[in-house]
Amino acid sequence: MKENSEDISKKTSLLFVCLGNICRSPAAEGIMRHITKEHMMEDYVDLDSAGIGSWHAGELPDRRMRSHGSAHGYDFSSRARQIKQEDMQRFDHIIVMDDENYKDVTAMARTDEQRRKISRMTDFCKHHPGHTAVPDPYYGGDRGFELVIELLEDGCKELLKQIAQKHGVAYLL
Ligand code: 4NP
């Protein structure tokens, strides 16, 4: 996580972003919420997700994504929304899933400080060195949804670890 001038007395806020906000980013939000709770770190983390597009606004995550999530013990039940300009200001970190998302979100940044908030989910993955994106599973099969969960679990654990370090909280994995 890039170092921004953050006030560590307040929660660290994360916005996960993908194209439609019905597969990858709600799964990232759900997994991060799950492990945040598991590590009793709710007082330190604020989470949300959004999509580049508005096509699915108001919808629950894709049925396939929810079902793969349930099989791993997760509850993906956020409602889709489109990213908006004020998100660039409001969140400490904006975490995107692929290069296309990176380009689109970067185009919304109005200051260098806002540009520095943007990272790729795979930057945090410790066990998937060959992956530079969380691939869009929408038009594929089961394996694509499983890969999304695998990459997100890897990245979210590292994210939580970095947040714990920032707040001086012991983090046991
Ligand atoms: P997501 O997946 O970006 O991971 O939510 C997609 C969902 C919907 C569409 C594309 C990607 N779509 O074209 O409707």
Side-chain angles (χ1 to χ4, degrees), residues 10 31 49 73 85 88 106-107 140:
K10 77 171 184 54
I31 291 171
S49 66
Q85 190 62 48
M88 302 303 299
T106 301

Side-chain angles (χ1 to χ4, degrees), residues 127-143:
H127 304 289
H128 297 84
H131 292 262
T132 55
V134 179
D136 187 348
Y138 193 70
Y139 294 105
D142 286 345
R143 176 66 197 134

Side-chain angles (χ1 to χ4, degrees), residues 23-34:
C23 294
R24 295 165 291 174
S25 60
E29 180 185 345
I31 291 171
M32 194 68 188
R33 212 175 278 293
H34 185 98

Side-chain angles (χ1 to χ4, degrees), residues 39-51:
H39 290 267
M40 294 178 287
M41 282 189 49
E42 294 108 314
D43 288 348
Y44 303 98
V45 189
D46 235 350
L47 298 168
D48 198 4
S49 66

Side-chain angles (χ1 to χ4, degrees), residues 42-169:
E42 294 108 314
D43 288 348
Y44 303 98
V45 189
D46 235 350
L47 298 168
D48 198 4
S49 66
I52 300 293
S54 62
W55 318 285
H56 299 284
E59 292 177 18
L60 282 169
D62 183 281
R63 179 186 47 76
R64 298 163 296 172
M65 192 74 253
R66 299 186 75 194
S67 135
H68 281 269
S70 296
H72 289 266
Y74 300 115
D75 174 28
F76 302 152
S77 53
S78 54
R79 293 279 173 176
R81 72 170 179 91
Q82 186 175 30
I83 187 169
K84 45 187 191 273
Q85 190 62 48
E86 69 188 63
D87 292 324
M88 302 303 299
Q89 170 81 29
R90 178 177 149 214
F91 290 90
D92 298 319
H93 301 281
I94 300 171
I95 297 157
V96 303
M97 301 298 146
D98 61 28
D99 285 346
E100 196 70 17
N101 307 154
Y102 191 88
K103 195 163 55 111
D104 290 337
V105 175
T106 301
M108 292 177 70
R110 291 193 172 148
T111 63
D112 284 343
E113 191 197 348
Q114 292 183 358
R115 259 181 290 280
R116 282 196 297 273
K117 295 179 177 189
I118 308 164
S119 16
R120 291 173 175 76
M121 192 71 213
T122 47
D123 294 343
F124 300 99
C125 290
K126 290 291 181 192
H127 304 289
H128 297 84
H131 292 262
T132 55
V134 179
D136 187 348
Y138 193 70
Y139 294 105
D142 286 345
R143 176 66 197 134
F145 287 91
E146 286 299 307
L147 178 63
V148 167
I149 291 177
E150 200 178 303
L151 290 167
L152 294 177
E153 284 181 331
D154 189 2
C156 284
K157 283 179 189 165
E158 175 62 20
L159 265 170
L160 192 66
K161 186 172 156 192
Q162 291 189 16
I163 293 170
Q165 281 166 351
K166 191 184 94 177
H167 290 275
V169 178

